[in-house]
Amino acid sequence: MATATEFRTQMYVDGEWRDADSGKTLAVINPADESTIAEVAYGGRAEADRAIAAAARAFPAWRAQSVYERSKVLKRTAELMRERADTIARTLTREQGKPLPEAKGEVLHAADTFEWFAEEGKRAYGRIIPPANVAKRHYAIKHPVGIVGTITPWNFPAALPSRKIAPALAVGCTVVSRPAEQTPLTLILMFECLADAGLPAGVANLVMGPPRPFADALFEHPAVRKISFTGSTEVGKELIRRSADGVKRMSLELGGHAPLIVFPDADVAQVAQAAVIGKFRNNGQVCIAPSRFYVHEKIAKDFTEAAVELTKKLKLGNGLEEGVQVGPMFEARALDKTSALVEDARSHGAKILTGGGRSSRFDKGYWFEPTVIREVNGAMKLMTQEPFAPVMPLLDFSKIDDVIAAANDTPYGLAAYVFTNDLTVATRMAEGLEAGIIGINDPVPATPQCPFGGMKESGLGRELGSEGLDAYLETKYVSVGLRN
Ligand code: NAD
């Protein structure tokens, strides 16, 4: 049972921890048992405006600091996150549901992201461009974009904000962040690390509250120059439309519907293991989760048997318990949506090989049995909508061109996975697939030093890697005319 003082529950604005002006709070629910684990401050437009004003005041001094000084604060933040990783991870599991080892891995990934951008910030190089006119000199220099607003979802409450906050701060931007309403506690703990690392007041601000007033404040305030959003394609499109009036810079990490393709030369047992890990990580509630499995017809039977066997063995339970591999789904809505998708597939002829419904083993919480299905076709919603669910639909293929066409037949283009040891096949697939992230014999490709993001309706821009630093920089061209 949570005690009143177990969690910090306030917003962080202008270097101070604060309640909402109204005193309003919102309950944070543990999806494993539906208990309330904390009541957090729940602000609105006034708090968002105050945070933007603080970020605007802090910007000139933060930007003027040496990048080496900014880097020290970010590195110290990374160290503190590692020291506190157990506490942060337990909190993450309690508010989000994923098993503790996954939560710990996520927190350490977020710490690595802070450390990596602390270094990469030092490499925001410009260019010297040879002039056509010998009496001129031309330079392209990098300039921080300004005040940045960040909006992130509930599925990775540590990793996703770190991909925005760390590069923005590294190059001298100041930040106003809003976590998902349902998972604020992890980001509050990360802000404690930033504050304890010596971040000056106002440089990074944390506001909790409903999405609309926060977004209104970002779009309407002229000082906010950039909005970095991770979430659904539907909301992303709305934000693109809203960005027009103020010509706000946008980075958008949106939905996905990743194909995973297995060629006949692959080791069936190993790939089945990788596929099951990739699919059921965070219960399939991962933007880059494989959600359509194309298996070559020569190995389809063996692969299916191996995948079903492994899926049946997955241990479902409260993520804090030892040995648990799959936690609850995040909320009742996700459970309802998954049930509806599976029912729709069943009504269109799908065969359920394991799972297929809500788990009856738990009195409370949002539980769905890890599910594998066959006899899948394009009429099923599962194949056209982003499922975000613990469901593995299996399809056969025989020809490489056909599987490339099927894999690309979606408005999404975030991730794709290929399993083969044939270099020619791997190269053709890497070049032919329309996805921003391609894992070849790698079911978990995200890492701080490599670019992450989507093609087509899966997003705009990239996070992580040097591209993820560029997202917070403007290019300024300076031309100098010399005296005779
Ligand atoms: P969502 O779009 O409903 O919400 C995302 C965030 O935006 C939340 O904080 C929410 O409160 C806020 N929000 C909602 N409506 C808003 C509005 N009108 N204006 C401003 N903010 C608004 O998405 P979700 O269901 O919480 O998250 C799951 C989605 O996120 C999936 O589509 C998933 O693929 C995507 N996602 C993408 C990536 C990526 O890197 N591409 C990573 C994780 C999740």
Side-chain angles (χ1 to χ4, degrees):
M1 190 68 197
T3 61
T5 54
E6 189 177 356
F7 298 104
R8 189 189 281 282
T9 55
Q10 291 164 305
M11 296 182 249
Y12 188 67
V13 177
D14 207 8
E16 283 178 19
W17 294 99
R18 298 181 186 188
D19 291 321
D21 293 355
S22 64
K24 213 172 157 188
T25 60
L26 185 74
V28 180
I29 308 294
N30 182 340
D33 57 14
E34 298 171 56
S35 63
T36 296
I37 55 176
E39 289 278 347
V40 300
Y42 198 60
R45 178 67 191 251
E47 289 82 353
D49 284 340
R50 209 171 295 135
I52 293 168
R57 278 195 303 278
F59 178 54
W62 181 245
R63 181 193 151 197
Q65 275 208 8
S66 155
V67 65
Y68 282 73
E69 291 305 314
R70 292 198 296 264
S71 172
K72 276 184 203 157
V73 178
L74 297 185
K75 275 195 200 159
R76 182 69 191 131
T77 303
E79 279 169 20
L80 290 172
M81 284 179 65
R82 291 188 187 115
E83 283 168 21
R84 300 172 191 179
D86 286 331
T87 307
I88 303 175
R90 287 183 77 80
T91 303
L92 199 165
T93 292
R94 288 178 68 189
E95 70 176 348
Q96 200 278 335
K98 69 182 63 172
L100 193 54
E102 275 186 43
K104 181 104 180 260
E106 181 183 341
V107 173
L108 295 176
H109 168 92
D112 289 349
T113 301
F114 271 94
E115 182 176 301
W116 195 78
F117 279 111
E119 284 302 324
E120 191 65 5
K122 298 172 186 170
R123 289 181 274 277
Y125 304 134
R127 274 184 302 151
I128 298 173
I129 300 151
N133 179 340
V134 294
K136 291 191 181 190
R137 297 292 180 270
H138 303 313
Y139 313 107
I141 58 173
K142 298 288 178 174
H143 185 98
V145 66
I147 293 150
V148 174
T150 80
I151 303 173
T152 42
W154 47 265
N155 65 337
F156 285 88
L160 301 177
S162 75
R163 296 173 184 188
K164 305 175 186 309
I165 297 169
L169 297 184
V171 299
C173 296
T174 56
V175 171
V176 180
S177 293
R178 176 187 169 277
E181 277 163 297
Q182 308 95 322
T183 55
L185 298 172
T186 301
L187 195 55
I188 292 175
L189 290 173
M190 286 167 61
F191 265 73
E192 275 190 345
C193 295
L194 280 162
D196 294 348
L199 194 76
V203 171
N205 304 274
L206 177 67
V207 177
M208 281 93 76
R212 277 278 173 189
F214 184 76
D216 291 348
L218 296 184
F219 283 114
E220 287 166 22
H221 203 301
V224 176
R225 293 305 332 144
K226 162 114 193 177
I227 297 166
S228 181
F229 171 80
T230 300
S232 61
T233 294
E234 189 190 356
V235 174
K237 287 180 181 179
E238 181 192 327
L239 300 187
I240 293 173
R241 285 183 210 108
R242 297 199 66 191
S243 70
D245 283 345
V247 194
K248 306 284 185 189
R249 275 78 182 131
M250 302 291 290
S251 285
L252 297 164
E253 292 287 341
L254 309 177
H257 204 328
L260 184 149
I261 300 155
V262 193
F263 284 90
D265 65 296
D267 180 319
V268 170
Q270 270 180 19
V271 180
Q273 180 81 50
V276 167
I277 290 171
K279 174 69 258 179
F280 296 106
R281 188 165 70 104
N282 199 15
N283 240 320
Q285 303 168 122
V286 179
C287 54
I288 59 168
S291 46
R292 297 172 286 146
F293 294 74
Y294 296 95
V295 184
H296 194 277
E297 59 188 13
K298 279 193 192 153
I299 53 164
K301 185 169 172 291
D302 290 349
F303 182 90
T304 303
E305 282 171 13
V308 169
E309 207 48 44
L310 289 165
T311 304
K312 279 184 178 161
K313 284 191 195 144
L314 289 172
K315 188 174 173 201
L316 196 64
N318 186 321
L320 292 180
E321 284 167 24
E322 188 73 27
V324 161
Q325 292 160 297
V326 181
M329 293 207 72
F330 176 60
E331 55 188 0
R333 208 164 36 136
L335 193 58
D336 292 344
K337 186 183 153 204
T338 303
S339 302
L341 284 176
V342 171
E343 275 324 302
D344 172 74
R346 214 193 294 260
S347 74
H348 284 91
K351 193 168 165 213
I352 313 289
L353 302 180
T354 184
R358 293 163 197 253
S359 175
S360 52
R361 287 184 270 160
F362 305 87
D363 296 338
K364 292 254 181 183
Y366 314 120
W367 304 92
F368 201 89
E369 293 290 348
T371 296
V372 183
I373 65 176
R374 275 195 69 76
E375 314 303 331
V376 175
N377 61 58
M380 298 171 185
K381 289 188 183 138
L382 198 62
M383 293 300 289
T384 52
Q385 292 179 7
E386 179 184 36
F388 234 53
V391 182
M392 178 188 273
L394 298 175
L395 302 105
D396 297 354
F397 77 94
S398 59
K399 295 203 182 85
I400 185 168
D401 289 336
D402 294 346
V403 80
I404 291 175
N408 289 341
D409 186 19
T410 164
Y412 295 108
L414 187 56
Y417 303 90
V418 178
F419 288 85
T420 180
N421 296 309
D422 182 325
L423 191 56
T424 303
V425 171
T427 305
R428 283 194 61 201
M429 295 303 288
E431 291 173 0
L433 290 168
E434 294 169 351
I437 302 157
I438 299 194
I440 294 180
N441 301 329
D442 182 1
V444 193
T447 177
Q449 67 277 25
C450 297
F452 184 104
M455 292 167 68
K456 294 154 77 176
E457 293 188 18
S458 286
L460 283 180
R462 294 291 180 271
E463 296 198 308
L464 302 178
S466 53
E467 290 85 349
L469 192 79
D470 254 356
Y472 298 93
L473 291 165
E474 294 275 16
T475 297
K476 190 186 270 180
Y477 161 51
V478 181
S479 184
V480 181
L482 305 181
R483 265 201 312 268
N484 286 333

